Amino acid sequence: MYILCMFGNLIIIAVVWVAPRLHIPMYFFLCNLSTLDMTFVSSILPKFLDSQITGKTSIAFTSCFTQLFMSVGCLTTEFLLLSSMAFDRYVAICIPLKYSIILNKRACVILSFIPWAFGVLNSSLYVFLVSHLSFCDPKDIIHFYCDMKALLRASCSDIKHVNTVILSEGYTLGVLAFGMILTSYVFIISSILKIKTSSRRLKIFSSCSSHLTVVLLFCGSSLSVYMNPDSESSTELDMMLSLLNVAVVPALNPLVYSLRNKEVLGVLRIHKVIF
């Protein structure tokens, strides 16, 4: 899954790079998503694979906090980046005549920079909170990487204030990002339903179906892990959902965008990547 994720996302970036007709906002955001997915899996899966091969399951303090920083930052960034991509689809479908004016180069840079910047700030907050917790004795982290919930379980400090901050911030971010995505698709679906010909409706809906598929996969797995109440019985389920979120979803993203996108498939055929 790691090789598939890295190879697939590199192909997406390379295809967009070499094809001038793909130099539009939609594919600019897609390259950001591919870079994000590669960063996310590279911060977690290599260490996990190493522990499975060598049997050495210990992790250094700095490496653990690096994993925490990268995982929280990437999850936060992806939520907001998917919101930017939803806005891109809204403008392209609902107000196409102003697409190039609204989503100019400056707007695209801002809409991609804000998710990355917010991801760094959010992960810094989480690392700050966890670094001030006490870990009295050497503890086993019941997870395959240094996940926030797993680290809180291993702490012997009072974590009520940390949980309050996490839930408040998590729900705020979730409502903000998911609200933007939902609002965009309400307008998109409304515009599609106004189109008289079914072939035209299907063509326009297919242009945003890839993004909608990724949103459902990512948001479903992420919210299932971090928004459910913590308990002893939820640990194994959390690990399974986290593995889905870390390994499966980033590997599926390039497949979803390539197999469901005629423009990407066309460029791949031209350059004889697929037949």
Side-chain angles (χ1 to χ4, degrees), residues 141-171:
I141 300 173
I142 307 174
H143 216 290
F144 63 89
Y145 76 101
C146 289
D147 175 66
M148 185 70 180
K149 291 177 71 174
L151 288 172
L152 292 180
R153 292 191 195 105
S155 173
C156 57
S157 300
D158 182 6
I159 60 172
K160 290 182 180 179
H161 67 290
V162 179
N163 281 326
T164 301
V165 172
I166 291 172
L167 287 174
S168 301
E169 190 269 346
Y171 278 115

Side-chain angles (χ1 to χ4, degrees), residues 2-275:
Y2 179 64
I3 292 172
L4 180 62
C5 174
M6 297 299 291
F7 182 74
N9 282 294
L10 284 172
I11 288 291
I12 290 291
I13 293 173
V15 165
V16 175
W17 181 269
V18 301
R21 66 178 177 175
L22 299 183
H23 293 177
I24 59 176
M26 174 184 173
Y27 295 103
F28 172 74
F29 292 126
L30 179 56
C31 286
N32 272 269
L33 181 64
S34 293
T35 303
L36 185 65
D37 283 340
M38 290 191 293
T39 304
F40 184 36
V41 299
S42 295
S43 66
I44 295 172
L45 289 186
K47 174 61 182 174
F48 176 57
L49 292 170
D50 176 69
S51 67
Q52 296 301 303
I53 295 170
T54 64
K56 298 178 181 179
T57 57
S58 61
I59 185 169
F61 181 84
T62 53
S63 298
C64 185
F65 273 76
T66 300
Q67 278 194 343
L68 175 64
F69 179 87
M70 296 301 293
S71 61
V72 172
C74 288
L75 288 172
T76 303
T77 303
E78 186 151 348
F79 260 113
L80 296 176
L81 188 59
L82 289 173
S83 301
S84 296
M85 295 173 76
F87 178 71
D88 166 74
R89 292 297 82 209
Y90 159 72
V91 176
I93 294 171
C94 297
I95 40 179
L97 296 179
K98 295 183 179 180
Y99 183 70
S100 59
I101 298 173
I102 296 174
L103 285 172
N104 52 41
K105 289 184 178 181
R106 183 172 179 270
C108 289
V109 170
I110 292 173
L111 287 173
S112 62
F113 174 77
I114 290 176
W116 285 98
F118 200 92
V120 171
L121 292 174
N122 194 40
S123 57
S124 299
L125 170 64
Y126 277 54
V127 169
F128 174 79
L129 292 172
V130 175
S131 65
H132 283 75
L133 298 178
S134 298
F135 297 88
C136 305
D137 301 307
K139 295 284 186 178
D140 286 334
I141 300 173
I142 307 174
H143 216 290
F144 63 89
Y145 76 101
C146 289
D147 175 66
M148 185 70 180
K149 291 177 71 174
L151 288 172
L152 292 180
R153 292 191 195 105
S155 173
C156 57
S157 300
D158 182 6
I159 60 172
K160 290 182 180 179
H161 67 290
V162 179
N163 281 326
T164 301
V165 172
I166 291 172
L167 287 174
S168 301
E169 190 269 346
Y171 278 115
T172 302
L173 175 65
V175 169
L176 176 65
F178 196 71
M180 291 174 63
I181 295 171
L182 185 62
T183 302
S184 296
Y185 274 99
V186 167
F187 283 106
I188 288 170
I189 293 172
S190 177
S191 295
I192 292 175
L193 292 176
K194 293 177 183 178
I195 299 172
K196 295 181 179 180
T197 58
S198 57
S199 59
R200 176 73 174 164
R201 285 200 300 267
L202 183 62
K203 181 180 180 180
I204 293 177
F205 183 75
S206 66
S207 68
C208 59
S209 60
S210 298
H211 175 258
L212 188 57
T213 302
V214 171
V215 167
L216 293 174
L217 286 171
F218 175 76
C219 291
S221 58
S222 298
L223 293 176
S224 298
V225 173
Y226 294 103
M227 292 295 104
N228 66 317
D230 194 16
S231 64
E232 291 295 330
S233 59
S234 69
T235 303
E236 187 174 347
L237 178 61
D238 285 349
M239 291 175 65
M240 293 175 63
L241 290 171
S242 294
L243 189 60
L244 174 68
N245 199 34
V246 172
V248 179
V249 174
L252 288 178
N253 284 354
L255 294 177
V256 169
Y257 273 103
S258 60
L259 296 178
R260 297 176 64 87
N261 191 302
K262 293 181 179 179
E263 290 182 322
V264 173
L265 286 174
V267 174
L268 290 173
R269 290 193 181 98
I270 290 172
H271 292 274
K272 299 181 180 180
V273 177
I274 60 174
F275 299 94

